[in-house]
Amino acid sequence: MKNQRIGIPRGLLYYSYAESWKLFFRELGCEVIISPETHADILREGIRHATGDFCLPVKTFLGHVALLKDSVDLLFIPRYVSVERESFMCPKMIGLPDVVRACFTNLPGIVDPVFHVKQFGDKAIHEFTKPIAKAISLPHPDVYTLFKKNMNSGAEISGEQHRLSERLLSEGGTILSSHRKMNIGIVGRPYLLFDRHLSKNLFNCIRDLNANPIFIKPAEPDIREAMAVIPKWVYWDMGKEVVTSAHQFFKDDRIDGVINVCSSTCGPDSFTGDLIRKRLNQRNKPYMALSIDEHASDVGIQTRIEAFIDMISKVTA
Amino acid sequence: MEAYLGIDVGSVTTKVVLIDRHGNVLWNSYNKTMGQPIKAIQSAFSVLRRDVGDIEIRGVGTTGSGRKLADYIVGADQIKNEITAHAVSAIHLIPNVRTIVEIGGQDSKLILIRNGVVVDFSMNTVCAAGTGSFLEHQATRLGMAIEELGNYALAASSPARIAGRCTVFAESDMIHKQQMGHNLEDIVAGLCDALVRNYLNNLSRGKEISDPVIFQGGVAANPGIKASFERELGKEFIVPHYYPIMGAIGAALLSRNTKHTRFRGWSLSEKQLSTSSFYCSDCPNACGVMQINDCDAVIARWGDTCGKWGRREG
Ligand code: SF4
């Protein structure tokens, strides 16, 4: 069946896989409807529908579901359990389709395929695409092929930030000179960093203070190197990227300070935050954990960022 | 006379100071903001002019959550966040300071200093359980003035243990303790302990509080809190003479390197200024946009995410 309207809530893994999901469904002949960028009403709706004390990104996700659910035929809420053999997604992500079902009545159909490399190994994509094929009534082999073809398209925003950051770093020269702009390494989960409402427009805020926000997507060898420094492999997905970026930033002389944007009620973030602070910052580089919750005011965040940049510049009277 | 002006517009109080080139405080005021920061600044200015007479302002620094608003009204040369402003004044006063504990009306800060520069900080703006407004609220409930609270606390023989993780809990636990028959002194002391525990839980995780410690901000007026901190940490807390206006002093100190001040003179502060706000309906952000009006003319706007309103007019 073609021309189904597939709704994708703009939250959580959307910020990691948006591009590949969009391409995939469009090529399958579906109409893809994506909720708009988070705004105050979406967050409010999410908080209202949350039946438990979920973290801020999950509450936000629920707000996007609320906005989409009545205007689509199907909601795409995949259940990512593990994207590689030795790591797991956060439990809230694993249970996401169940959380959504528990918080709403009158939902459209939900396509919730399971992505579980630890269990299915090489067959993970095969298993993942089965329920999708069924939901949109297309032959499984075609769906499988299309997904495979598009799966590495990733996400636009983080990729763009990454390319911009690499350019800035190469232009900025490798030596610390007093004339160059300050480079602030930003680490955190994409769905918090790149949701401009949740992160209070962090990237722009830093640019307004005449500094460069730098975001990198670490490569496989970098991850292995960072994991060797800490006592134990980080088995939370995204946690590895967060820890590795922090490690890279701490040892890179072109980076003047590191901000770890975390959600105040995120379990994995509290572990990685501790690891970063205690184990990785051996050179005592300026570091700040910027914890975000639904009460955080724009002014409060702005004040912290300003103070952090003053701290790096060693402002005195 | 030449002088530098520092203005700290906090959510609860507005502080204005005048200092000389060396950082000596010539004049200062401390008033409740009462939700009307413009009025608070204007009335401080009129008292200042009456008290001090003719002065030439060479630089202006603003700080506090209303620092931008203050800039729009008076024209500032330095618009500084509270953390830097507090650090600058503490270091000026006690050059070897290593820790600053600051508790104000709505927020609290912990700033670590090494060798005269800030090396780490944390700030709490969400939970009021560790701040001045919480104390004030409880004092009112117990039928005493906020100034009396400290002396009650110091007179306690065995402070009650009050669960103070949040204001609501603390309040109901205090009522419970009163009903159990604890005396007022022990309850007030317990309240101070709860506030201190809260502050430490929220702000000092993994941060080393080392001597000398300066305790500033409005709550430093309370000897009960100071005693609780000292008991809990086994360290002396130094309360500087100008504890409630340290932020304003810091802002003024920072303005001393101004060459040509942007100060708009006193006349603007005498105008009939009013603030108003509206919700923009051009996009789903529905930003609450604030504006300052001089009669019918809008002289400043802010609060928008996209920047379409925020440019200063006039
Ligand atoms: S001020 Fe700008 S961002 Fe805010 S609601 Fe209006 S158009 Fe949207």
Side-chain angles (χ1 to χ4, degrees):
Chain A
M1 189 172 42
K2 282 202 156 195
N3 292 325
Q4 294 214 69
R5 284 169 305 165
I6 300 268
I8 307 182
R10 192 188 290 262
L12 299 172
L13 294 179
Y14 171 88
Y15 286 94
S16 304
Y17 302 117
E19 207 50 24
S20 51
W21 290 348
K22 277 192 257 180
L23 287 172
F24 165 64
F25 281 113
R26 283 194 187 125
E27 289 189 25
L28 282 175
C30 300
E31 184 186 343
V32 180
I33 300 178
I34 291 157
S35 50
E37 283 197 39
T38 307
H39 53 71
D41 277 343
I42 292 188
L43 182 53
R44 217 171 299 129
E45 276 298 286
I47 292 168
R48 194 168 70 81
H49 279 102
T51 50
D53 199 6
F54 302 121
C55 61
L56 181 64
V58 169
K59 285 181 189 159
T60 310
F61 188 88
L62 294 173
H64 285 273
V65 170
L67 196 115
L68 273 180
K69 71 182 178 66
D70 297 328
S71 50
V72 298
D73 302 315
L74 287 170
L75 275 173
F76 180 60
I77 306 179
R79 191 191 296 272
Y80 275 70
V81 181
S82 61
V83 294
E84 53 193 15
R85 275 176 209 275
E86 294 313 323
S87 67
F88 276 104
M89 285 305 203
C90 159
K92 286 172 192 151
M93 215 95 82
I94 299 177
L96 195 61
D98 309 318
V99 169
V100 170
R101 285 191 186 97
C103 292
F104 291 94
T105 49
N106 297 328
L107 285 167
I110 293 187
V111 194
D112 60 345
V114 178
F115 202 96
H116 199 339
V117 176
K118 194 174 170 69
Q119 185 179 344
F120 299 118
D122 296 341
K123 288 225 160 283
I125 299 168
H126 182 84
E127 291 299 318
F128 183 74
T129 43
K130 254 195 224 162
I132 303 178
K134 189 159 170 241
I136 54 175
S137 316
L138 284 174
H140 182 212
D142 299 354
V143 176
Y144 173 83
T145 317
L146 269 183
F147 188 83
K148 255 204 120 144
K149 178 180 136 210
N150 289 309
M151 69 180 288
N152 289 323
S153 310
E156 72 254 82
I157 333 172
S158 55
E160 193 186 297
Q161 263 319 319
H162 174 73
R163 282 189 294 279
L164 179 68
S165 299
E166 287 207 310
R167 209 192 69 217
L168 282 169
L169 283 180
S170 63
E171 278 173 4
T174 43
I175 3 159
L176 284 160
S177 92
S178 54
H179 295 299
R180 73 153 172 80
K181 270 196 188 178
M182 193 182 278
N183 291 322
I184 308 288
I186 311 288
V187 308
R189 297 162 175 271
Y191 51 77
L192 201 53
L193 288 184
F194 300 115
D195 183 321
R196 287 189 288 182
H197 185 76
L198 295 186
S199 72
K200 312 282 179 201
N201 226 338
L202 174 85
F203 283 81
N204 277 350
C205 186
I206 291 174
R207 277 184 210 112
D208 285 348
L209 294 166
N210 211 17
N212 296 322
I214 303 291
F215 170 82
I216 52 168
K217 286 169 117 180
E220 212 32 64
D222 300 330
I223 295 182
R224 272 197 301 276
E225 183 199 308
M227 292 304 112
V229 182
I230 54 178
K232 192 171 157 199
W233 172 263
V234 179
Y235 50 82
W236 300 110
D237 259 306
M238 284 186 225
K240 278 202 300 285
E241 282 74 11
V242 167
V243 167
T244 306
S245 309
H247 178 63
Q248 299 277 84
F249 286 147
F250 284 135
K251 59 174 203 172
D252 188 336
D253 282 336
R254 296 167 302 178
I255 300 289
D256 303 282
V258 181
I259 297 181
N260 178 12
V261 181
C262 39
S263 155
S264 66
T265 41
C266 170
D269 269 358
S270 63
F271 291 118
T272 49
D274 235 37
L275 263 180
I276 291 172
R277 191 167 54 79
K278 290 197 184 133
R279 298 287 183 143
L280 293 177
N281 193 4
Q282 276 145 358
R283 290 166 61 182
N284 268 324
K285 211 172 244 196
Y287 167 75
M288 169 166 78
L290 190 65
S291 141
I292 299 206
D293 61 31
E294 63 239 52
H295 311 291
S297 71
D298 297 16
V299 182
I301 303 249
Q302 174 91 28
T303 297
R304 286 174 178 79
I305 295 172
E306 281 180 36
F308 185 67
I309 289 188
D310 279 352
M311 175 170 106
I312 298 172
S313 338
K314 300 192 167 53
V315 169
T316 46
Chain B
M1 185 174 52
E2 292 176 357
Y4 298 85
L5 195 57
I7 304 170
D8 177 353
V9 182
S11 41
V12 181
T13 53
T14 296
K15 286 78 76 174
V16 177
V17 301
L18 203 62
I19 61 168
D20 67 14
R21 160 154 305 282
H22 310 289
N24 300 310
V25 176
L26 306 171
W27 182 90
N28 73 86
S29 75
Y30 179 92
N31 293 306
K32 285 244 182 319
T33 309
M34 305 273 219
Q36 293 184 297
I38 299 185
K39 271 229 175 73
I41 297 172
Q42 287 182 326
S43 65
F45 273 17
S46 66
V47 181
L48 187 158
R49 291 197 73 195
R50 201 188 59 216
D51 289 356
V52 188
D54 231 11
I55 31 168
E56 192 196 334
I57 299 296
R58 302 298 298 269
V60 179
T62 63
T63 185
S65 51
R67 57 187 178 275
K68 292 208 175 98
L69 172 76
D71 165 46
Y72 291 138
I73 297 171
V74 301
D77 305 300
Q78 285 279 345
I79 304 156
K80 265 297 158 205
N81 64 84
E82 309 88 286
I83 294 163
T84 308
H86 274 280
V88 160
S89 59
I91 295 164
H92 178 78
L93 195 72
I94 301 184
N96 68 338
V97 58
R98 287 169 69 85
T99 308
I100 301 168
V101 171
E102 196 272 345
I103 307 183
Q106 285 286 355
D107 56 38
S108 45
K109 307 170 192 73
L110 171 66
I111 309 171
L112 305 190
I113 315 272
R114 298 291 178 267
N115 305 316
V117 292
V118 177
V119 292
D120 201 358
F121 64 85
S122 49
M123 174 178 166
N124 164 26
T125 48
V126 176
C127 171
T131 65
S133 39
F134 170 63
L135 272 187
E136 184 137 9
H137 177 69
Q138 295 314 322
T140 315
R141 212 184 55 79
L142 296 169
M144 54 179 78
I146 178 86
E147 294 80 17
E148 292 174 83
L149 209 69
N151 294 329
Y152 273 96
L154 293 183
S157 50
S158 70
R161 185 148 182 106
I162 293 180
R165 280 315 295 262
C166 97
T167 34
V168 182
F169 280 139
E171 179 156 333
S172 47
D173 200 34
M174 272 169 63
I175 294 170
H176 175 66
K177 293 285 169 5
Q178 274 175 300
Q179 287 164 345
M180 276 168 61
H182 288 271
N183 68 34
L184 205 53
E185 286 82 359
D186 287 346
I187 289 179
V188 173
L191 182 65
C192 295
D193 285 346
L195 185 143
V196 164
R197 264 200 315 274
N198 246 315
Y199 175 94
L200 295 174
N201 280 339
N202 285 331
L203 295 174
S204 81
R205 279 191 210 160
K207 304 205 191 313
E208 186 205 355
I209 297 184
S210 59
D211 294 317
V213 184
I214 295 196
F215 183 23
Q216 55 198 38
V219 171
N222 188 318
I225 301 283
K226 175 176 178 309
S228 289
F229 266 120
E230 292 179 334
R231 219 176 17 246
E232 181 76 29
L233 295 171
K235 288 189 172 13
E236 190 199 350
F237 270 48
I238 305 164
V239 178
H241 178 65
Y242 289 118
Y243 65 87
I245 55 166
M246 293 295 274
I249 295 178
L253 287 170
L254 284 163
S255 79
R256 285 182 307 167
N257 59 14
T258 305
K259 287 206 181 67
H260 302 288
T261 184
R262 292 181 52 240
F263 182 52
R264 300 182 174 191
W266 306 107
S267 64
L268 195 71
S269 64
E270 285 157 4
K271 287 190 179 160
Q272 284 298 322
L273 299 181
S274 60
T275 51
S276 54
S277 64
F278 63 91
Y279 286 98
C280 174
S281 50
D282 293 356
C283 92
N285 275 343
C287 298
V289 181
M290 292 289 300
Q291 52 189 21
I292 305 179
N293 315 298
D294 178 2
C295 296
D296 288 336
V298 175
I299 59 168
R301 278 205 191 105
W302 70 96
D304 48 339
T305 309
C306 67
K308 76 194 279 181
W309 300 105
R311 65 203 141 81
R312 192 191 304 199
E313 298 174 15

